[in-house]
């Protein structure tokens, strides 16, 4: 039984309801009055949809204002049933799927009971039809069937026949009248022809109760709040699966948007966009070899022209400089890949395993493009890195050469007397590495190359012995620094210049590439930020728009007894379907995606290494989508979403 005491509600200082006190019990109860008299407002207050009023309303002793969220959702799932003017059904679901909706908050789905109700309402043959294909009268019976699945104590109906033809209206009233024999039925209507002689009638006029007719009050029992009222994980996934099946277009858009957003983010995090800036360096290395990163430190040189005949990146003056201590300084520098002493050798003769090999001497300082096998001779032992061409003359492969001992005999020019004197020297050293000694140079617009076959690199200890045998007292020999990156190379060059040392190297060429890289990095960095931002905006917009479009659906869930906790679990289940499908789709289409990104960015963003990042990004984007959806149903107001009446 409803009890209202001094219920008053104002809007902009105007009374919508004014001091209403009334009791409503079992049976058929009509609330009538002209449009704007407060009928719908009173109905909202009775059902707990509106708590912003003065006075007191209770049902079976329960204060409707004081209901907790859990209690309110329990009432809507077990105590109150709602029948609306515009039906408020889920149009894309079947009749049976709509009718069993309240049952998802029970332990088990009672499909047989649902079928029994459909038979009683003479719509059983429509059970598997989508609601959107039904007539108005059929939809209203489906709505009544759904509410009867709750086995409610109260049916609250707002203009239930106004949208129906005469035949459907009579059938609907006949059903409601039958229901009122065992329950409280409250109907708001402007059609007084629906009212019978035995019905209870409450008339409102300008917010005031002006008459009560036939008020045969029958009290109701206090509702129990101990029945099961929760959404199980199993039922949440069942609902989500039904949603996927019935709203496949929406599901597809959600899945593709999450996957696409993750792929866009992957292009930024995976460096696909920035890859274009690295291509310039790769092309530089392909053209000139890894030796383009070399910084050569020499004690003296004369207006040095390179092998290409160009002096653009070399100093144009004779230089003598003190390089003492620089070898030790840069040997431990983290920017340095390796450091090697430079010493020209003449009249080279080598014995390996008792066999003598003569090596044609150029008298030039040794060069190295890259280390093919082993390591550079940086230890204190007598070690040497030999050219790959020398290993081939031994008839073995590079790996087999490592660890062999060579007896190295040579002649070294001693310049300390002012004129060059050739001095003999020899040493036994262990091969610790094999190098590619190809030299690249430009000639008449073309890149040419040749191999230096007498490029032997000894450890500093071994080289000092050779120089001592040649009576060279200055142990600070020339050396080369191989920088790890182009930026490191230029930084070392600038540092040496600041300390008064003039190094040799292809600095202008590398600096041009670095400037290009900086510009490209700035541009691609901005592009990456924009793409990442757009990916998030896209997902936010799609799920926000979808959420807003689903507000009516969420409101229907809520008047069926679902609270935000239940919708959280349903949202989670839906997002699991979307996320798993997105991941599977990404894996299945990875080859096609790679083909596309290869064409656009010259990189495969979904290689084995990046697939894991792609999966994690889909999960991250799904979390964002989950939160956005959560905000929409939490903010959903039932009366606003269902647009029920004006007053």
């Amino acid at each position: 039984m409803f009890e209202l005491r001094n219920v008053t509600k104002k809007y902009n200082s105007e009374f919508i309801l004014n001091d209403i006190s009334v009791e409503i019990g079992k049976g058929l109860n009509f609330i009538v009055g002209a449009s704007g008299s407060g009928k719908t407002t009173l109905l909202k207050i009775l059902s707990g949809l509106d708590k912003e009023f003065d006075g007191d309303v209770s049902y079976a002793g329960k204060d409707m204002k004081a209901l907790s969220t859990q209690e309110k959702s329990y009432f809507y799932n077990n105590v109150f049933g709602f029948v609306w003017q515009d039906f408020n059904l889920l149009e894309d679901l079947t009749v049976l799927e709509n009718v069993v909706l309240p049952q998802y908050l029970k332990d088990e789905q009672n499909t047989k009971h649902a079928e029994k109700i459909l038979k009683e309402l003479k719509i059983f043959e429509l059970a598997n039809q989508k609601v959107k294909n039904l007539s108005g009268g059929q939809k209203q019976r489906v709505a009544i069937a759904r509410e009867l699945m709750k086995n409610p104590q109260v049916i609250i109906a707002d203009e239930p026949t106004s949208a129906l033809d005469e035949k459907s209206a009579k059938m609907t009233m006949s059903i409601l009248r039958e229901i009122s024999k065992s329950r409280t039925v409250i109907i708001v209507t402007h059609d007084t022809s629906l009212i019978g002689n035995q019905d209870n009638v409450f008339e409102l006029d300008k917010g005031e109760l002006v008459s009560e007719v036939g008020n045969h009050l029958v009290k109701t029992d206090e509702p129990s709040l101990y029945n099961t009222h929760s959404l199980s994980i199993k039922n949440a996934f069942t609902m989500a699966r039904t949603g996927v099946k019935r709203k496949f277009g929406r599901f597809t858009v959600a899945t593709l948007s999450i996957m696409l957003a993750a792929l866009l983010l992957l292009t930024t995090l995976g460096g696909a966009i920035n890859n274009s800036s690295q291509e310039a360096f790769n092309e530089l290395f392909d053209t000139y070899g890894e030796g383009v990163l070399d910084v050569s430190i020499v004690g003296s040189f004369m207006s040095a022209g390179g092998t290409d005949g160009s002096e653009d990146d070399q100093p144009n003056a004779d230089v003598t400089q003190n390089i003492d201590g620089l070898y030790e300084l840069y040997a431990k520098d983290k920017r340095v890949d390796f450091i090697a002493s430079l010493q020209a050798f003449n009249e080279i003769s080598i014995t390996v395993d008792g066999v003598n090999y003569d090596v044609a001497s150029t008298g030039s300082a040794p060069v190295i493009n890259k280390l093919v096998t082993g390591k550079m001779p940086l230890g204190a032992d007598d070690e040497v890195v030999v050219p790959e061409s020398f290993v081939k003359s031994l008839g073995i492969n590079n790996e087999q050469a490592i660890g062999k001992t060579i007896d190295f005999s040579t002649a070294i020019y001693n310049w300390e007397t002012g004129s060059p004197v050739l001095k003999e020297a020899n040493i036994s050293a262990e091969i610790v590495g094999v190098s590619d000694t190809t030299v690249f140079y430009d000639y008449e617009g073309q890149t040419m190359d040749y191999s230096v076959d007498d490029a032997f690199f000894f450890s500093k200890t071994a080289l000092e012995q050779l120089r001592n045998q040649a009576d060279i007292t200055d142990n600070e020999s020339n050396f080369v620094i191989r920088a790890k990156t182009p930026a490191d190379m230029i930084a070392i060059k600038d540092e040496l210049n600041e300390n008064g040392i003039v190094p040799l190297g292809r600095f202008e060429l590398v600096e041009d590439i670095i400037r290009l890289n900086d510009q490209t990095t700035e541009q691609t960095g901005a592009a990456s930020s924009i793409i990442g931002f757009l990916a998030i905006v896209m997902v936010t917009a799609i799920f926000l728009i979808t959420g807003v479009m689903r507000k009516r659906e969420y409101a229907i869930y809520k008047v069926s007894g679902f609270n935000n906790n239940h919708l959280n679990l349903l949202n989670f289940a839906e997002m699991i379907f979307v996320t798993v499908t997105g991941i599977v789709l990404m894996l299945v289409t990875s080859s096609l995606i790679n083909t596309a990104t290869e064409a656009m960015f010259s990189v495969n963003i979904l290689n084995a290494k990046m697939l894991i990042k792609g999966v994690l990004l889909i999960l991250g984007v799904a979390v964002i989508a989950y939160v956005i959806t959560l905000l929409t149903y939490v903010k959903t107001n039932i009366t606003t979403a269902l647009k029920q009446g004006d007053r």
Side-chain angles (χ1 to χ4, degrees):
M1 183 180 73
F2 285 97
E3 296 180 272
L4 289 76
R5 296 287 180 266
N6 309 113
V7 172
T8 299
K9 184 175 178 66
K10 287 183 178 181
Y11 182 75
N12 291 338
S13 73
E14 179 184 353
F15 282 103
I16 300 175
L17 294 175
N18 187 12
D19 198 28
I20 304 293
S21 295
V22 71
E23 294 179 341
I24 303 175
K26 279 185 180 180
L28 193 57
N29 302 273
F30 286 91
I31 299 175
V32 299
S35 178
S37 61
K39 304 187 301 297
T40 298
T41 300
L42 181 58
L43 205 63
K44 293 174 183 176
I45 289 173
L46 285 171
S47 62
L49 290 173
D50 187 346
K51 293 185 177 183
E52 301 300 321
F53 63 91
D54 296 324
D56 299 301
V57 175
S58 63
Y59 175 76
K62 281 287 184 181
D63 184 352
M64 298 305 294
K65 267 188 178 180
L67 290 180
S68 66
T69 301
Q70 178 68 13
E71 288 174 331
K72 185 176 177 180
S73 67
Y74 179 87
F75 262 70
Y76 290 173
N77 189 248
N78 296 274
V79 181
F80 293 164
F82 297 90
V83 180
W84 312 95
Q85 176 181 346
D86 55 357
F87 323 123
N88 287 326
L89 298 168
L90 300 176
E91 295 281 317
D92 287 295
L93 268 59
T94 65
V95 168
L96 185 60
E97 288 165 348
N98 269 276
V99 171
V100 300
L101 182 63
Q103 286 287 301
Y104 284 110
L105 298 178
K106 312 297 183 186
D107 284 331
E108 295 181 0
Q109 300 298 107
N110 196 341
T111 305
K112 289 186 177 180
H113 182 54
E115 292 174 347
K116 179 176 179 292
I117 293 174
L118 292 177
K119 289 176 181 178
E120 291 174 351
L121 297 180
K122 297 181 175 55
I123 51 174
F124 177 72
E125 70 279 2
L126 303 174
N128 295 317
Q129 293 288 320
K130 286 189 177 182
V131 166
K132 64 183 179 182
N133 299 324
L134 305 183
S135 67
Q138 291 168 333
K139 288 181 179 180
Q140 195 61 286
R141 279 182 281 169
V142 174
I144 293 172
R146 180 186 62 195
E147 301 311 299
L148 290 178
M149 280 296 291
K150 301 176 181 179
N151 191 25
Q153 295 182 13
V154 180
I155 293 288
I156 297 172
D158 187 11
E159 300 282 6
T161 62
S162 63
L164 306 178
D165 57 51
E166 183 178 354
K167 181 180 178 181
S168 297
K170 286 182 178 180
M171 181 176 290
T172 298
M173 277 308 306
S174 176
I175 294 169
L176 292 175
R177 193 172 292 279
E178 183 65 26
I179 293 171
S180 69
K181 293 178 181 180
S182 58
R183 296 173 171 85
T184 299
V185 177
I186 302 174
I187 300 175
V188 164
T189 185
H190 64 279
D191 185 359
T192 57
S193 67
L194 303 175
I195 302 172
N197 294 331
Q198 300 300 313
D199 300 333
N200 304 316
V201 183
F202 305 90
E203 185 178 1
L204 296 176
D205 184 33
K206 296 180 180 179
E208 295 186 355
L209 182 64
V210 295
S211 70
E212 300 180 48
V213 178
N215 189 13
H216 309 296
L217 185 64
V218 180
K219 292 186 177 182
T220 55
D221 298 328
E222 183 173 341
S224 171
L225 300 181
Y226 297 103
N227 294 337
T228 301
H229 181 64
S230 63
L231 180 65
S232 67
I233 294 177
K234 176 184 175 183
N235 285 345
F237 276 93
T238 299
M239 292 180 69
R241 186 173 61 249
T242 300
V244 170
K245 183 167 60 176
R246 301 304 179 196
K247 281 285 190 180
F248 189 74
R250 183 177 72 192
F251 169 75
T252 301
V253 170
T255 300
L256 291 178
S257 66
I258 283 181
M259 187 183 78
L260 181 59
L263 291 175
L264 289 174
L265 291 171
L266 193 62
T267 62
T268 62
L269 297 180
I273 297 176
N274 292 329
N275 183 68
S276 57
S277 63
Q278 183 61 34
E279 288 180 4
F281 286 127
N282 293 339
E283 185 177 345
L284 183 65
F285 296 146
D286 290 341
T287 302
Y288 296 103
E290 295 180 15
V292 76
L293 295 179
D294 285 351
V295 179
S296 298
I297 312 296
V298 298
S300 63
F301 54 84
M302 298 175 58
S303 191
T307 56
D308 59 356
S310 171
E311 300 181 5
D312 289 344
D313 57 357
Q314 308 290 356
N316 292 318
D318 295 346
V319 174
T320 300
Q321 53 193 4
N322 183 5
I323 61 173
D324 291 354
L326 291 180
Y327 183 99
E328 289 74 18
L329 176 65
Y330 284 100
K332 300 178 181 179
D333 197 303
K334 293 181 179 180
R335 299 168 297 179
V336 174
D337 187 15
F338 63 80
I339 189 169
S341 297
L342 299 176
Q343 178 63 58
F345 299 107
N346 294 274
E347 301 177 5
I348 299 173
S349 178
I350 301 174
T351 300
V352 181
D353 295 334
V355 180
N356 183 259
Y357 300 88
D358 291 327
V359 178
S361 301
T362 63
S364 301
V367 295
I368 178 171
N369 177 30
K370 61 182 177 181
L371 189 67
V372 178
T373 306
K375 64 178 183 178
M376 293 302 292
L378 302 177
D381 298 326
D382 296 338
E383 299 173 338
V384 65
V385 167
V386 300
E388 193 171 23
S389 58
F390 174 72
V391 174
K392 289 180 180 179
S393 69
L394 298 180
I396 58 177
N397 60 40
N398 295 332
E399 288 72 19
Q400 291 172 332
I402 302 298
K404 283 188 173 294
T405 299
I406 65 171
D407 294 323
F408 186 84
S409 298
T410 186
I412 302 174
Y413 277 107
N414 185 330
W415 291 78
E416 292 183 352
T417 60
S419 58
V421 178
L422 205 58
K423 297 279 188 174
E424 293 183 356
N426 59 78
I427 194 171
S428 293
E430 179 185 352
I431 298 175
V432 294
V434 179
S435 65
D436 173 1
T437 57
T438 305
V439 174
F440 298 88
Y441 66 97
D442 292 329
Y443 180 75
E444 295 183 352
Q446 292 185 336
T447 302
M448 312 293 287
D449 66 82
Y450 64 92
S451 177
V452 179
D453 295 332
D454 61 342
F456 291 83
F457 290 89
F458 286 90
S459 62
K460 190 172 178 60
T461 301
L463 188 57
E464 286 177 355
Q465 294 182 48
L466 290 169
R467 290 167 66 87
N468 287 337
Q469 292 177 43
D471 298 326
I472 301 174
T473 58
D474 181 9
N475 287 325
E476 291 298 331
S477 61
N478 300 334
F479 61 93
V480 63
I481 297 171
R482 174 66 56 84
K484 290 182 177 178
T485 68
D488 290 335
M489 175 194 185
I490 300 305
I492 292 171
K493 184 266 291 185
D494 291 341
E495 187 177 284
L496 289 166
N497 287 159
E498 290 176 1
N499 292 314
I501 302 297
V502 179
L504 304 177
R506 296 178 179 268
F507 303 123
E508 288 190 7
L509 182 62
V510 174
E511 283 178 325
D512 288 341
I513 298 297
I514 288 178
R515 280 194 294 271
L516 175 62
N517 178 63
D518 290 341
Q519 294 173 359
T520 306
T521 299
E522 183 179 349
Q523 294 168 355
T524 56
S528 296
S529 299
I530 292 172
I531 288 176
F533 175 74
L534 290 178
I536 300 301
V537 168
M538 177 189 69
V539 169
T540 301
I542 287 175
F543 280 88
L544 189 59
I545 292 171
T546 301
V548 170
M549 293 175 64
R550 293 184 69 182
K551 278 196 169 187
R552 184 171 175 274
E553 177 186 343
Y554 293 138
I556 292 172
Y557 284 137
K558 288 187 175 183
V559 293
S560 296
F562 290 77
N563 57 34
N564 288 335
N565 290 333
H566 301 143
L567 294 177
N568 279 340
L569 186 55
L570 176 59
N571 183 19
F572 174 78
E574 290 176 343
M575 208 55 63
I576 289 293
F577 276 107
V578 169
T579 304
V580 171
T581 306
I583 291 173
V584 171
L585 186 60
M586 182 186 70
L587 296 176
V588 170
T589 61
S590 59
S591 60
L592 294 176
I593 293 170
N594 280 333
T595 300
T597 56
E598 180 71 36
M600 291 186 290
F601 307 120
S602 299
V603 66
N604 293 331
I605 66 168
L606 284 181
N607 52 47
K609 181 179 179 181
M610 297 300 292
L611 275 175
I612 296 177
K613 288 185 179 180
V615 170
L616 293 176
L617 283 171
I618 286 180
L619 292 173
V621 174
V623 170
I624 296 173
Y626 171 87
V627 172
I628 293 168
T629 305
L630 180 151
L631 293 175
T632 56
Y633 59 71
V634 166
K635 295 294 183 180
T636 296
N637 180 278
I638 295 175
T639 55
T640 302
L642 298 182
K643 299 178 182 178
Q644 291 305 305
D646 56 346
R647 286 192 180 181

